[in-house]
Amino acid sequence: MPRKAIYPGTFDPLTNGHIDIIKRSLDIFDELTILLAINPSKKTLFTTEERLKQLKTVIEEEKLNVKIDSYEGLLVNYCKANGIGVIVRGLRPLVDFEYEFELAMANRELNSEVETVFIITDQKYFYLRSSLIKGIMELDGDVSDKIPPSIHDDLIKKFKKQT
Ligand code: ADP
């Protein structure tokens, strides 16, 4: 049986920290799905369609063998419907622990057959988060070494449109 895993997130936008987790997951699992988790109550800079397109572009550029999908609903239901037994989450020091712990507990209670596995952030990316990228870009700071070039271009366009 292939070991199927899923890496869910908002990816608003995808950063090099996310890509690192994806690459390292591919070393462990036979099949990986990157799932754009749609949460209507979460305000995002990029629309679902824009983020899906960004994911597809980066995955093609990086030649990563992953599936991409989006889903609005309970993650464990998606896992069950697709025969996926492992949820991958990235863990940065301090900030992530409580939230991720609660999320993993809730998912385990909803479906104990699905395990959450944490991959510890690389030290290069431990402070990297999508909100930081947006904050710096909005103030014209340089983040080109922290995100893929195609996403950098999208951010420039997005902030130009807003001003
Ligand atoms: P969320 O799913 O909470 O909306 P994100 O889409 O930003 O958040 O992130 C998806 C997953 O990737 C989460 O588990 C998050 O902790 C992890 N992650 C985000 N940035 C990094 C990083 N720089 N290093 C490691 N893991 C990260």
Side-chain angles (χ1 to χ4, degrees):
M1 281 278 276
R3 210 180 286 241
K4 289 187 186 183
I6 193 161
Y7 179 42
T10 311
F11 308 116
D12 186 43
L14 188 76
T15 70
N16 291 346
H18 293 127
I19 297 171
D20 179 57
I21 298 293
I22 295 169
K23 287 184 176 165
R24 288 162 64 198
S25 302
L26 282 170
D27 288 338
I28 306 172
F29 301 104
D30 301 317
E31 197 184 294
L32 183 70
T33 301
I34 304 176
L35 190 78
L36 196 65
I38 303 171
N39 179 353
S41 60
K42 211 169 186 173
K43 206 179 165 306
T44 56
L45 177 66
F46 291 104
T47 64
T48 303
E49 290 67 34
E50 285 172 330
R51 282 175 289 142
L52 267 179
K53 195 162 163 253
Q54 290 170 344
L55 275 171
K56 281 183 187 147
T57 304
V58 173
I59 290 313
E60 267 168 35
E61 280 168 0
E62 296 272 337
K63 296 189 176 50
L64 297 171
N65 185 19
V66 298
K67 295 182 174 183
I68 298 172
D69 202 357
S70 62
Y71 184 66
E72 186 178 337
L74 274 183
L75 179 61
V76 288
N77 290 350
Y78 183 94
C79 291
K80 197 171 179 191
N82 292 281
I84 295 170
V86 178
I87 298 169
V88 172
R89 296 288 286 176
L91 208 56
R92 289 158 294 189
L94 305 175
V95 285
D96 282 334
F97 183 76
E98 216 169 305
Y99 172 69
E100 293 293 341
F101 187 93
E102 280 176 17
L103 208 62
M105 283 300 208
N107 281 328
R108 193 169 161 70
E109 209 170 305
L110 290 163
N111 185 342
S112 60
E113 283 171 20
V114 181
E115 272 306 341
T116 300
V117 167
F118 293 104
I119 297 188
I120 300 288
T121 185
D122 187 279
Q123 58 186 10
K124 286 203 289 288
Y125 308 121
F126 81 94
Y127 64 95
L128 193 52
R129 55 180 56 253
S130 301
S131 55
L132 181 74
I133 296 294
K134 288 180 277 192
I136 297 175
M137 281 287 296
E138 206 169 358
L139 300 172
D140 280 336
D142 182 16
V143 289
S144 52
D145 60 337
K146 296 176 177 58
I147 46 175
S150 53
I151 290 190
H152 192 246
D153 292 346
D154 282 358
L155 275 164
I156 291 173
K157 279 184 218 143
K158 184 67 96 179
F159 285 123
K160 261 196 194 140
K161 243 186 232 167
Q162 285 182 349
T163 51

